[in-house]
């Protein structure tokens, strides 16, 4: 059951109606039941593993909390080990004819993992964070088991986050809230998410799939534009998912923190990471980068550079055990290290231009750097990544010799008028949304329900949305 | 209370808008002369020879050349990527508005019975929902679509990428009063920009891949046979040349050919197989293993027309 399906909307609506009708004391059991239905609809193993891991983490955290500083070391490391083992076992192993083996993954949609467990990578990070917080006495340990299960399994965030800590989540349960305001703002967010996913991301998906996976004789410009398409697809797919997650949670009376802040408008890679997948970046910063930088503080700038590199390597490995993800992560580590080293000289250089021009140049450079790193993220193998890079930087073959055959037809998957029409519609919708994204968010996502905006977006979904061959959310595989 | 009222009003507005769009889309799709199903449902074609099948005949058999040799008026009703269910529905819609042809030339090859080749293109029949035959087949071939098609506008929204352009073209045809299709006799000459490349030849048939017989496809062939008997149409099955070197990638090709022969013998239908014609040996005559290029297509159609005149008509 994915967010962009009627069955999900029916589930959400049913839970919402029951939540309104039932007394307050049934709120948590109802939401847990709804989450269990949602998870079990994907596969029952996911639900069993989630309950087992959450219970284990809960009792280990209790043990840590009630042990003295020497004794709590054992349950703490045991907990970390359990979580990482689960991640390794279920995420990095695959079933093949020779039995179980490591799967060196790349982004693909034919997951052959041992058992596909929904949201494992995300709730593992949450569990680890909780153990660390309890270990350092930074959080209260008076959470009940049922509340911990509620927090772990809460269906709007189970698939791909955002990653949040139990105290951020559970403190909201008994807060007084305005039901109508929650429903209005949540529904608006849900509509925007559906629009991003069905009208933009899923329309871009076949073009990306064709140019990355099927066609291998691209000229530089075609490859570059296909790469931009993927950057847009990934952004709209993941941020669309996040909008739907935040919107659904809001309708059910839970606030989930933001995961994106207009990342494609970032003026530097550092800025990009403050705006992209914010919950993962915050987790890595808090639990990997800060401790590492502290330990390496004697090495001064080298220590910081090392900490950045290690943090990104962990981020890459979290995505998958493949060289592609490692190179993707190393690209970003390199970008950030260069930005850090050249900070002063860049500041001096920027004095020569106006601030708006500086920002524009920054956005263009950052967008291209980010897109280039996404080659490793998207291509199915290292060979494919390098041949794609080669195409982009093959200056002799950068411009297509025949614009219709080698550029438009390749991008549109066909040179006929219908294919071109669909490509142009997709491009127009993508670019228009990107240009007016901030305005749309500010005007539409307010406390007051904007009926006109809502109707327009719903009609646009019906007119241009992809209902058939629905693409699954890209981040569901991580 | 105010919120509930507004909510109900919004739902009502949405449903009315979607219903309005549904009516507009349905109307303009039927006005589009380039959609074969719509064209043959509106225009009187009344051909004596009808050509049916997937991309192979639509890009290969020119009625102009065929008519010259047979002396009969023909129309190419074939559609790219279409399976036998798709072909059957096109024939059904044609017969609803036209006199039955004397002959039906149906392209049949081993690929016709393997679901990995060609498909049922539901969107081509979206504006014909309501016709019981169309409904029955869509329900069977695309149950998910059929389930949602009752919701206002979903019959068109479901395949919006395949529909929107055709609706706009329908608007244009309606506004300009156009009453002929761009390809008036249904034949679409193969694009010259396509090139034969070895990858396309080998990818069509991965090594040692056997064809898999689909009883569903066979069922639709039987329906076509049945409808031909009902309307007293002489059905002729045919296969055009295939690139000779590709046969070795199709281990059970002969088994399938024999099965087609059995079906044609059982139903007393002629089955003409041109798969080993002389032009089959030269790769330059092909765009894919089964699609001939323009020049070779003309050569084949001439041979086919002469053969039909001499032996079949």
């Amino acid at each position: 059951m994915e967010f962009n399906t009627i069955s999900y909307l029916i589930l959400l609506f049913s839970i919402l109606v029951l939540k309104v009708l039932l007394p307050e004391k049934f709120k948590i059991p109802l939401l847990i039941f709804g989450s269990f239905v949602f998870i079990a609809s994907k596969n029952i193993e996911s639900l069993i593993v989630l309950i087992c891991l959450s219970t284990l983490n809960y009792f280990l955290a209790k043990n840590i909390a009630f042990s003295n500083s020497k004794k709590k070391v054992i349950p703490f490391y045991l907990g970390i080990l359990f979580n990482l083992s689960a991640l390794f076992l279920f995420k990095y192993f695959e079933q093949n004819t020779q039995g179980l083996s490591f799967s060196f993954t790349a982004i693909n949609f034919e997951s052959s993992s041992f058992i596909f467990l929904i949201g494992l990578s995300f709730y593992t990070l949450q569990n680890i964070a909780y153990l660390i917080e309890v270990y350092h006495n930074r959080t209260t340990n008076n959470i009940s088991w049922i509340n911990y299960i509620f927090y772990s399994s809460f269906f709007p965030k189970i698939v791909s986050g955002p990653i949040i800590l139990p105290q951020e989540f559970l403190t909201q349960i008994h807060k007084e809230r305005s039901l109508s305001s929650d429903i209005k703002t949540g529904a608006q967010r849900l509509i925007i998410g559906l629009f991003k996913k069905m009208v933009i991301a899923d329309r871009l998906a076949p073009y990306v799939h064709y140019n990355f996976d099927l066609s291998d004789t691209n000229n530089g410009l075609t490859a570059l534009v296909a790469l931009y398409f993927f950057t847009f697809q990934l952004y709209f797919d993941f941020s669309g998912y996040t909008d739907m997650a935040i919107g659904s949670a809001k309708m059910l009376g839970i606030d989930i923190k933001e995961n994106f802040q207009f990342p494609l408008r970032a003026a530097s890679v550092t800025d990009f990471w403050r705006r992209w997948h914010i919950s993962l970046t915050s987790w890595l910063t808090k639990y990997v980068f800060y401790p590492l930088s502290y330990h390496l503080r004697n090495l001064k700038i080298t220590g910081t550079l090392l900490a950045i590199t290690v943090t990104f390597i962990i981020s890459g490995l979290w995505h998958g055990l493949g060289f592609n993800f490692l190179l993707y992560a190393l690209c970003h580590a390199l970008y950030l290290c260069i930005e850090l080293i050249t900070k002063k000289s860049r500041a001096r250089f920027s004095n020569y231009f106006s601030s708006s021009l500086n920002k524009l140049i920054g956005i263009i450079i950052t967008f291209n750097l980010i897109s280039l790193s996404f080659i490793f993220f998207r291509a199915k193998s290292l060979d494919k990544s390098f041949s794609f890079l080669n195409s982009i930087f093959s200056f002799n073959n950068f411009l297509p010799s025949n614009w219709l055959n080698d550029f438009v037809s390749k991008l549109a998957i066909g040179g006929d008028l219908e294919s071109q029409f669909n490509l142009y519609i997709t491009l127009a919708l993508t670019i228009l949304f990107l240009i007016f994204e901030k305005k749309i968010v500010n005007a539409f996502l307010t406390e007051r329900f904007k009926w006109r905006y809502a109707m327009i977006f719903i009609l646009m979904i019906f007119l241009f949305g992809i209902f058939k061959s629905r693409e699954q959310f890209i981040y569901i595989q991580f | 209370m105010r919120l509930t009222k507004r909510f109900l009003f919004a739902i009502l507005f949405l449903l009315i808008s979607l219903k309005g769009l549904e009516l507009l889309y349905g109307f303009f799709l039927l006005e589009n002369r380039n959609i074969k199903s719509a064209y043959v449902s509106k225009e009187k074609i009344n051909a004596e020879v009808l050509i049916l099948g997937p991309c192979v005949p639509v890009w290969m058999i020119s009625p102009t050349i065929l008519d010259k040799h047979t002396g009969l008026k023909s129309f190419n009703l074939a559609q790219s990527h279409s399976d036998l269910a798709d072909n059957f529905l096109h024939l059904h819609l044609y017969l609803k508005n036209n006199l039955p042809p004397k002959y039906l030339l149906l392209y049949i090859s081993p690929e016709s019975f393997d679901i990995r080749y060609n498909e049922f293109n539901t969107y081509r029949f979206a504006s014909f929902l309501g016709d019981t035959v169309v409904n029955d087949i869509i329900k069977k071939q695309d149950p998910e679509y059929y389930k949602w098609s009752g919701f206002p506008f979903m019959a068109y929204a479901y395949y919006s990428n395949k529909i929107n352009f055709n609706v706009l073209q329908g608007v244009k045809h309606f506004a300009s009063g156009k009453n002929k299709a761009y390809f008036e006799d249904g034949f679409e000459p193969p694009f010259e920009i396509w090139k034969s490349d070895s990858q396309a030849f080998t990818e069509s048939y991965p090594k040692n891949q056997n064809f898999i017989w689909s009883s569903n496809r066979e069922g639709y062939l039987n329906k076509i046979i049945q409808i031909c008997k009902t309307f007293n149409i002489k059905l002729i099955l045919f296969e055009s040349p295939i690139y000779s070197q590709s046969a070795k990638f199709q281990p059970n090709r002969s088994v399938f050919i024999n099965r087609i022969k059995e079906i044609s013998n059982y139903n007393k239908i002629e089955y003409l197989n041109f798969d080993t014609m002389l032009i089959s040996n030269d790769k330059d005559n092909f765009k894919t293993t089964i699609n001939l290029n323009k020049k070779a297509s003309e050569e084949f159609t001439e041979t086919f027309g002469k053969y039909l005149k001499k032996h079949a008509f």
Side-chain angles (χ1 to χ4, degrees), chain A residues 197-213:
Chain A
K197 170 69 179 161
M198 293 174 74
V199 178
I200 304 183
D202 284 1
R203 285 185 75 96
L204 286 165
Y207 305 130
V208 173
H209 174 58
Y210 178 78
N211 283 284
F212 269 86
D213 305 329

Side-chain angles (χ1 to χ4, degrees), chain B residues 65 68-69 297-307:
Chain B
I65 300 174
K68 204 167 76 189
H69 295 283
S297 289
E298 286 168 2
E299 196 180 327
F300 166 73
T301 310
E302 275 190 22
T303 311
F304 190 40
K306 283 175 188 166
Y307 184 92

Side-chain angles (χ1 to χ4, degrees), chain A residues 104-111 208-209 212-214 322-325 374-386 388 477:
Chain A
F104 287 93
T105 52
I107 190 164
N108 65 64
F109 305 105
E110 303 109 34
S111 172
V208 173
H209 174 58
F212 269 86
D213 305 329
L214 303 175
F323 289 110
N324 272 42
F325 291 124
F374 282 149
I375 291 178
F376 298 108
F377 193 91
R378 177 59 181 80
K380 283 193 171 178
S381 65
L382 267 190
D383 283 350
K384 194 85 192 168
S385 305
F386 285 115
F388 212 85
Q477 62 194 297

Side-chain angles (χ1 to χ4, degrees), chain B residues 73-205:
Chain B
K73 184 194 170 197
S74 58
F75 180 79
N76 195 328
L77 189 60
Q79 284 272 271
S80 57
H81 312 303
S82 62
D83 67 0
L84 287 163
D86 203 312
N87 298 155
F88 170 73
L89 273 190
H90 272 95
L91 181 60
H92 162 75
L93 293 170
Y94 176 90
L95 291 173
K96 273 181 83 173
N97 186 47
N98 288 276
L99 294 171
K102 285 181 186 162
Y103 303 96
L104 176 70
L105 308 176
L106 177 65
Y107 173 86
I108 287 287
S109 70
E111 289 87 348
S112 308
F113 296 96
D114 187 327
I115 56 164
R116 288 168 296 182
Y117 300 91
N118 297 319
E119 60 190 339
F120 179 72
N121 301 281
T122 319
Y123 61 91
R124 287 177 180 158
F125 309 101
S127 47
F128 295 98
L129 277 165
D131 178 305
T132 47
V133 178
V134 174
N135 279 12
D136 285 349
I137 291 175
I138 289 180
K139 193 175 176 181
K140 196 174 170 193
Q141 295 302 111
D142 196 348
E144 186 69 11
Y145 168 85
Y146 187 77
K147 197 170 78 186
W148 290 110
S149 63
F151 190 82
F153 192 59
M154 270 308 274
Y156 303 110
Y158 201 80
Y159 290 104
S160 62
N161 248 7
K162 298 280 185 188
I163 295 278
N164 286 334
F165 175 77
N166 286 321
V167 172
L168 282 183
Q169 205 167 47
V171 174
K172 186 181 148 196
H173 289 179
F174 175 72
S176 62
K178 187 181 169 85
N179 56 14
K180 290 289 170 208
Y182 184 76
F183 296 113
E184 219 174 299
D185 55 12
F187 166 63
E188 297 173 19
F191 293 107
E192 279 312 310
I193 54 165
W194 289 2
K195 290 171 198 155
S196 311
D197 64 68
S198 53
Q199 203 186 347
F201 280 73
T202 51
E203 275 180 1
S204 309
Y205 307 99

Side-chain angles (χ1 to χ4, degrees), chain A residues 6 180 184 203 214 216 405 409 417-418 421-422 449 451 455 458-459 462-468, chain B residues 3 6-7 10 13-14 17-18 21 25 148 151 153-154 157-162 164-165 168 193 199:
Chain A
I6 296 288
S180 71
K184 280 189 264 182
R203 285 185 75 96
L214 303 175
D216 55 2
N405 294 351
S409 297
L417 280 178
E418 185 176 355
F421 170 82
N422 280 326
F449 196 83
W451 294 97
M455 291 300 114
I458 292 172
L459 284 175
F462 273 98
L463 280 169
F464 301 111
I466 302 292
F467 290 86
K468 180 65 182 169
Chain B
L3 185 69
R6 282 197 142 190
F7 179 72
F13 170 79
L14 201 62
S17 307
L18 291 175
L21 276 171
Y25 267 52
W148 290 110
F151 190 82
F153 192 59
M154 270 308 274
Y158 201 80
Y159 290 104
S160 62
N161 248 7
K162 298 280 185 188
N164 286 334
F165 175 77
L168 282 183
I193 54 165
Q199 203 186 347

